[in-house]
């Protein structure tokens, strides 16, 4: 995100607003996940992941949520309630960042509803795909949308691009606020079903895991930024792998992993076997040494989790140590 500095004392700190009084425009990235638990005084790593899935990396949102009796109360009072401080935040953001706000909003709304491919977005808007290349590129450039490619694809030659809303807060808003405006306007604020929330949480947890990979030593090795991978030859169109990362120095090694909301001991052998089978069916894994890992938000097993499993507590602690 781009943020204007230096502002006067009345301007919001580290939020998304541009100010004409700014003397300089700098590119300031949202803060990474490890800082949030300290800011919101969260003891459990699981709670921090749920909070990050709502507020993302913007400290201004953390400040507003600090002191709420629960995450659900903060979501209701700040975002879902039409009188909430953040209820209209995306409109303000688009006014600051994008000249054609209605077109940008329509694109973001469709991505938020699950249209991740250019052809899907164009079809729903009734427009040729070529006409959306420029507005999508702008949304990517300003950090509101991210362009994903499956691991192993060339960024210029691949046609397997999919688009996702880059920021967890905006993803939350376009999932739970935008499609339910009439209900929310009628003060029916219970629009966040458990199923939809878990789907949103799973997506955010996957992104937290991938974002952590370059900072952490896994299997006594350092890894390049991680990418997801999805279906191709020999695997079926629905096959997906959540984490694939190349070794920083050794071209023969790859980190391959799956990310789950919960795991117990009985799940581990089956998931590892399926994970390796999917990876071995891919050209990019041919003749490579694979380091397999499973990440889980909650370890459900009675026994201690095996070394191939990394839970949210372990990830948070190791990532926090790495960034300090």
């Amino acid at each position: 995100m781009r943020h204007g500095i230096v502002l006067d004392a009345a301007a919001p700190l580290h939020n998304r607003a541009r100010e004409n009084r700014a003397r300089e425009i700098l590119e300031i990235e949202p803060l990474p996940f490890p800082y949030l638990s300290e800011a919101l005084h969260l003891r459990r790593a699981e709670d921090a992941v749920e909070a990050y899935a709502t507020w993302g990396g913007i400290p201004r949102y953390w400040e507003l949520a600090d002191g709420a009796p629960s995450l659900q109360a903060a979501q209701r009072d700040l975002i879902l309630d039409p009188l909430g401080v953040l209820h209209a935040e995306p409109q303000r953001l688009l006014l600051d960042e994008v000249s054609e706000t209605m077109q940008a909003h329509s694109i973001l709304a469709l991505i938020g509803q699950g249209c991740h491919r250019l052809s899907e977005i164009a079809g729903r808007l009734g427009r040729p795909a070529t006409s959306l290349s420029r507005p999508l590129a702008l949304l990517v450039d300003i950090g509101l949308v991210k362009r994903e490619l499956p691991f192993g694809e060339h960024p210029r030659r691949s046609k397997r691009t999919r688009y996702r809303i880059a920021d967890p807060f905006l993803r939350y808003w376009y999932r739970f606020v935008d499609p339910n405006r009439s209900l929310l306007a009628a003060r029916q604020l219970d629009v966040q079903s458990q199923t939809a929330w878990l789907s949103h949480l799973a997506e955010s947890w996957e992104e937290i895991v991938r974002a952590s990979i370059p900072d952490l030593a896994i299997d006594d090795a350092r890894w390049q930024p991680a990418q997801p991978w999805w279906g191709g030859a020999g695997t079926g169109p629905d096959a997906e792998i959540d984490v694939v990362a190349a070794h920083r120095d050794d071209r023969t090694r790859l980190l391959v992993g799956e990310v789950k909301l919960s795991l117990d001991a009985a799940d581990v052998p089956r998931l590892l076997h399926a994970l390796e089978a999917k990876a071995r069916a891919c050209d990019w894994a041919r003749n490579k040494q694979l380091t397999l890992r499973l990440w889980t938000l909650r370890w459900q097993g009675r026994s201690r989790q095996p070394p191939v499993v990394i839970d949210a507590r372990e990830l948070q602690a190791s990532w926090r140590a790495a960034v300090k």
Side-chain angles (χ1 to χ4, degrees), residues 41-53:
H41 317 291
L42 300 173
R43 295 184 178 181
R44 295 198 316 157
E46 181 180 330
D47 293 338
V49 173
E50 292 187 345
Y52 199 83

Side-chain angles (χ1 to χ4, degrees), residues 141-152:
D141 181 58
I142 62 178
L144 300 186
V145 168
K146 63 180 176 181
R147 177 176 179 255
E148 284 186 343
L149 288 172
F151 181 86

Side-chain angles (χ1 to χ4, degrees), residues 165-243:
I165 296 177
D167 178 70
F169 171 83
L170 284 180
R171 244 191 343 262
Y172 179 93
W173 195 92
Y174 278 102
R175 185 181 293 248
F176 296 109
V177 176
D178 187 62
N180 296 301
R181 289 191 186 213
S182 58
L183 290 172
L184 296 173
R187 311 296 299 170
Q188 298 181 39
L189 306 185
D190 189 19
V191 296
Q192 185 175 303
S193 72
Q194 182 70 359
T195 300
W197 167 249
L198 289 177
S199 175
H200 175 78
L201 180 62
E203 184 176 352
S204 297
W205 172 227
E206 281 184 26
E207 292 190 347
I208 288 171
V209 169
R210 283 193 289 267
S212 74
I213 300 301
D215 289 327
L216 304 181
I218 299 172
D219 196 23
D220 295 323
R222 303 307 294 263
W223 306 91
Q224 296 180 23
Q227 295 174 250
W229 173 87
W230 56 94
T235 60
D238 297 326
E240 293 204 23
I241 299 176
D242 300 324
V243 175

